[in-house]
Amino acid sequence: MAENNKFEVENLDLFYGEFQALKSITMDIEANKVTAFIGPSGCGKSTFLRTLNRMNDLIDTVRIDGEIKLDGQDIYKKDVDVTDLRRRVGMVFQKPNPFPMSIYDNVVYGPRAQGIKDKKKLDEIAESSLRAAALWDEVKDKLNKSGLALSGGQQQRLCIARTIAMKPEIILMDEPTSALDPIATLKVEQLMEELKKEYTIVIVTHSMQQAARISDTTAFFLMGELIEMGDTNDIFSNPKKQQTEDYITGRFG
Amino acid sequence: MSRKTKDLLMKALIMFSTIFTVGVLVIIIGYIFIQGMGHLSFDFIFGSAETGGIWPMIVSTMYIVGISLAISVPVGIMAAIYLTEYAKQTKFVSLIRLATQSLAGIPSIIFGLFGLALFVRAFGLNVSILSAGFTLAIMNLPVIIRATEEALKSVPQSYREGSLGLGATKIQTIWKVVLPSALPGILTAVILAIGRIVGESAPVLLTAGVLKDLPTSVFDGGRTLTVHLYLLAQEAISPEDFQIAFATATVLIIIVLVINLIARFVSAKLDKTKA
Amino acid sequence: MQSANHKRKNIIEWFWKNLFLLMATVSIISVVTIGFFVISNGVKPFFGPSSDTTIVYLEKFKATDQVRLDGELLTDFKEAFPLTDGEHTLVYNTPQGEETINITIDSQNEDPAQTAVFSDEPESSKLDDSVKYTSILDIKGETPVGNRKVSVVVPEPAYSVTDFLFGSEWKPTALKLYGILPMILGTLGVTIGALILGVPIGILTGVYIAELAPKRVAQFLRPAVELLAGIPSVVFGFFGLMVIVPLIQQIFGLASGTSMLAAIIILGVMILPTVISMTETSLRAVPNYYREGSLALGATKIQTIFSVTIRAARSGILTGVVLGFGRAVGETMAVILVAGNSPQVPDSILSSVRTLTSTVALEMSYASGRHSEMLYAIGIVLFIFIVLLNLAIMRLNKKAGDH
Amino acid sequence: MKKVIGIATMCVLAMSLSACGSSNDGKDRVMISGSSSVNVLMEELEPVFEAKYENIDLKISASGSSDGIKAAKEGTVNFGMSSRSLTPEEKSGVDESIIAMDGIGVIVNANNPVTDLTIEQIAKIYTGEVTNWSELGGADLPIAVVARESASGTRGAFEEILGIKDQMTTDAKEFNGTGGVKSEVSQNPNAIGYISLGSIDETIKALKVEGIEASEANIQNDSYAIARPFILIYEENSLTQSSQTFLEWVLGPEGQAVVAEEFVSVENTAE
């Protein structure tokens, strides 16, 4: 096991009741790198992303075989503390979903849930997280305003801020900019350039340009299988598998 | 009959029905207000039964509302939380849903029978405000459960995923995110439930009795506003009795009006938070 | 190995989940308890006699009268004494000498009057068997208040369900007749009448609010309908008694206006909100392309409503009608105030009528023994009415789900 | 904003619950329920009694004799009030004391010409054999038969004396309580009804029965046909101190003096 691997996945299968959504996925995700998952819609890339922080547990009919190890520990073992796992593996969703609370309460929600009560400490976390999410200057004097009153781009960065507030090791991003306009998308992508210095980032995107721009490694999914994975430039300049080449050159999907 | 006249006829029938409905509402409330408004006064509202006042009845009604809400609201909300946040599609859950639906369908007189047999006799609480409070708590349960379920379902799933994604536990997610945003819906239901409890008469007659005196404790019997109106309607002789009856009916309608307004105000607030 | 913090979180999760589960089962526990109480009390009269032994009660006798029943001296007269079938002799002293009374008990006898027969009783006595299964021998005493009484009460035999459901006489106090046909017909007459009045008006009003009313008017009508739904039933009953009943009395020149018609009018108005709101919500749920399809074919707005939209919302509207029926069956106090409450088979819409629910409300507070059990039996009949309604609603909802 | 609504819920609940504070004013309560006819007497006895015994509070509710009898048997009240004699089943296990004698006045509308009826005629009216006032020397108008509800002791005694138990015509209109019958008869010109003698006033007219005027004197001398006892029902061994005081006071000279004003007192029947 290379020492800088964050996730090691061994032939992972996932079933929604009878339907098999993921077929024997095996891959490693390196620390402090941006890994992008690309592929046509319905290929299972988002489903796979949600297995990494056990978000699929919310769905009763999901069944999982195979192994996912985070820093060498299998995350689906019986005695794993799911809440601790989700603290270490933060997630940003496709549609920005700030809580119907003030901006301040949104950002410090996670730390408060972990039991941090000291107001001064929470103020610090709030400021540092909002600065890290490049949102501090725009909201610093209206922290008590409702999070829902912000623009789409600001709301997504607020969600990133509250994820950062948990001091995660990994940030999963499920098509974070698909619901945003180009300007807001650019802002979020610049933010990710900063974030990857401190965090391992795994991003699902259906835009190949975005993958090419920001990711170090890219994995191509099709019909629930991992077709090919490798250095982003290799994948986009000379893909090994015919299916990857067809997808990249836009023949289908 | 040409198509045109058929259309006109149907339109006329539709207009007649709507006017009839609104007309009935206006006539009933108008007639009772005209007859009863004059008699409304400070010592009518706060006077004792002997002086023709209805204060003891107002206190009995408030006691019963208080007791039944204090029981049915917490139980109902927690039951609804289970049904929306935890329940899987098992046989047992469908049994719970069936029980809740049939509880809502049971006529109020059967609750009276049940309250009499269980609380008044079996538990030995005698004919009292407590017996009526418990009986109406059970009657009110399905209303609270159904409304709370609707309010919880209207909370977007993305809030739950957002909270869980930040490492919050399920119960923290419910207390901190789901319930607060469902609260206006629940509050509207609780307020409307008050109107329903105030309006009940058959079960209250059997479990709380007809005592006109001011109840000194929840173990005393007590006559509610509706039971008072029911008995007055049958025993009124002098014009003065009829005035008291009309004034009592007016008070009941005012209570229902105020409750509907508050509920409307709170649900309007609900839309603001959704913006 | 779980960290202490993790264990603590799990315990908290476990606690809350099971607390919520317990609360959710409260509705099951309530329905089962209600069912148990109503059914356990309600079936008793059909499965056994009303009490296990015949009793005799001696009134105004004193210990000094040396009262002997079958040779056994009696001193305390507060309690009743059990009597087996067969011959019994009662002997007591009076200033004029010793008096003996023979009582023959035949508790299984078909004719209630023969179940307890007094023989060679004192001339000054009079037999009162106006109350079935109860024979009271009045023995003239010195002062009108001092008459002695020997009362024998024989257990009433099990009552037949067919007599209960189809008997046309409800005379619980003296004749011990418990036929509820008059009340079943009363309930059906009143509720079906209310549907005939309330459903058409309700549906058409619902159509107006959902389809035709301009936005501002609809915004006024909805709260008005909610308010109509909120008015307590007693207020409807009171209004009926003060306005509808005198009107009927004048128009039809009746001795009293309280009648089935008055109940129909009041209940018809009371179910309006249920029918209106169900009609409106199910019409609004019909997707627009149904309407556009019909309008595109040149149909008028009214034709579209009646031939397309209403058909699409049919099961929702029918559920509203069934709910309205349920509410009308369950209504009690408003009906008592305006229906006249005579337990008779109604021969016209103007006759005074009594419903199942009113019977329970009127008599429960004073009924005892078999009479009160019979009121629980009426509760069972109402329970069955409601279960049938719920099944109908479920079938309707399932059908709604199909298209 | 969330806090505003949170607080609103709390005070809605608190407001209703606060009314539950029990402020028992230290008085010992005597619970009495039952016949509305006896209640008329009770409403006269209550002020006189409570003036004498400040620490006792009589809580009286009128809903019908059978209610009172049942409540006394079940122990939910200290005294049941009945305006008819008890049936055998009701008697077992309880004690009773007659506190007054009262007649039942057969009443008609104030301007109804009929003034005197026989027991048999009254019975025929109530069983539905006679349906028009002209058959009794009145105007040609339908008779509106008015009766008390089934729980009423007055009805029980009335039907027992006329021998028409459970044979009342179904056209009769039942009313809850003395007030209901009196209000119907006073407003409906065709109505005939019956109420306790003590409740008769100028709003209605009492008929002579078998030529005998309905008056306390005619009950005292046992000439008026339709009379019945006012009874208090209780359990001797579980009587509270204040209930005992109340019973002795009512049967004593002071109580009977109040009884004698409207009803017929019973000095010597207290065993």
Side-chain angles (χ1 to χ4, degrees), chain A residues 50 55 86 97 109 113 166, chain B residues 158 161 163-166 172 177:
Chain A
R50 289 166 68 97
M55 261 315 197
R86 289 185 184 135
N97 61 354
Y109 179 86
M166 294 303 298
Chain B
S158 62
E161 287 189 350
S163 167
L164 292 171
L166 289 166
Q172 282 173 323
V177 172

Side-chain angles (χ1 to χ4, degrees), chain B residues 34-55:
Chain B
I34 293 166
Q35 301 282 351
M37 239 358 175
H39 193 72
L40 284 192
S41 66
F42 186 84
D43 30 6
F44 170 72
I45 301 285
F46 296 101
S48 73
E50 283 68 31
T51 61
I54 54 169
W55 179 244

Side-chain angles (χ1 to χ4, degrees), chain C residues 55 57 59-60 62 78-80 128 130-131 134 136 144-145 149 151-153 156 169-177 249 254-258 340-344 352 354 362-368 372, chain D residues 63-67 70 85-96 98 101 142-144 149-151 155 159-160 165-174 176 184 188 190 222 235-237 266 269 271:
Chain C
I55 57 160
Y57 188 81
E59 206 187 321
K60 293 286 187 299
K62 296 185 202 55
K78 219 171 95 181
E79 293 302 331
D128 161 15
S130 59
V131 176
T134 306
I136 301 173
V145 172
K149 276 189 182 159
S151 330
V152 175
V153 179
E156 291 170 56
E169 279 192 299
W170 171 267
K171 300 234 186 288
T173 35
L175 303 179
K176 309 284 181 188
L177 291 172
Q249 191 165 327
L254 297 170
S256 144
T258 52
N341 303 322
S342 344
Q344 65 181 358
S352 151
R354 177 193 279 210
L362 284 169
E363 299 182 5
M364 195 59 211
S365 57
Y366 72 89
S368 63
S372 98
Chain D
S63 49
S65 295
S66 315
D67 288 22
K70 187 172 174 184
S85 48
L86 276 62
T87 67
E89 291 114 329
E90 288 167 343
K91 279 206 176 64
S92 67
V94 281
D95 302 286
E96 50 180 284
I98 295 176
M101 286 300 288
I143 300 177
E149 81 286 7
S150 336
R155 169 169 171 176
E159 287 181 352
E160 199 175 324
K165 253 193 173 321
D166 257 348
Q167 292 148 38
M168 188 177 76
T169 165
T170 49
D171 304 336
K173 287 286 172 300
E174 289 181 11
N176 267 22
E184 178 63 16
N188 186 338
N190 314 343
D222 201 12
E235 275 161 29
E236 191 94 52
N237 32 37
V266 280
T269 53
E271 287 103 70

Side-chain angles (χ1 to χ4, degrees), chain D residues 12 21 37 103 109 116 118 122 130 162 171 189 220 257:
Chain D
V12 163
S37 317
N109 192 281
D116 184 350
T118 66
I122 301 170
V130 167
L162 266 67
D171 304 336
Q220 191 82 38

Side-chain angles (χ1 to χ4, degrees), chain D residues 154-225:
Chain D
T154 308
R155 169 169 171 176
F158 180 76
E159 287 181 352
E160 199 175 324
I161 294 165
L162 266 67
I164 53 166
K165 253 193 173 321
D166 257 348
Q167 292 148 38
M168 188 177 76
T169 165
T170 49
D171 304 336
K173 287 286 172 300
E174 289 181 11
F175 283 87
N176 267 22
T178 310
V181 170
K182 197 152 80 168
S183 96
E184 178 63 16
V185 169
S186 64
Q187 284 152 17
N188 186 338
N190 314 343
I192 180 170
Y194 50 84
I195 57 170
S196 144
L197 214 54
S199 309
I200 290 180
D201 55 28
E202 70 302 339
T203 60
I204 35 98
K205 185 172 90 175
L207 297 178
K208 291 204 189 83
V209 175
E210 307 280 353
I212 311 270
E213 212 225 330
S215 70
E216 280 99 47
N218 290 344
I219 294 174
Q220 191 82 38
N221 57 35
D222 201 12
S223 62
Y224 183 71

Side-chain angles (χ1 to χ4, degrees), chain A residues 87-90 163-171 198-199:
Chain A
R87 190 190 56 74
R88 293 169 58 198
V89 183
T163 309
I164 292 172
M166 294 303 298
K167 304 224 170 346
E169 297 158 30
I170 300 141
I171 300 181
E198 281 164 48
Y199 305 98

Side-chain angles (χ1 to χ4, degrees), chain B residues 62-63 66 69-70 121 126 180-181 183-184 187 194 210-211 213-214 216-218 220 234-237 242 269 273, chain D residues 1-2 5-6 9 12-13 16-17 19-23 29 59-62 70 74 76 176 179-180 183 187:
Chain B
M62 262 169 51
Y63 268 150
L69 281 184
R121 300 228 174 81
N126 280 347
S181 51
L183 201 59
L187 192 58
I194 295 178
V210 290
L211 198 62
D213 305 83
L214 185 65
T216 48
S217 87
V218 285
D220 283 354
Q234 294 187 320
E235 287 156 9
I237 307 163
F242 283 108
K269 264 243 184 282
T273 57
Chain D
M1 195 289 307
K2 279 290 153 343
I5 292 196
T9 343
V12 163
L13 287 183
S16 336
L17 281 180
C20 298
S22 71
S23 58
R29 291 203 310 278
K59 283 214 180 272
I60 305 167
S61 67
K70 187 172 174 184
E74 282 171 353
T76 53
N176 267 22
S183 96
Q187 284 152 17

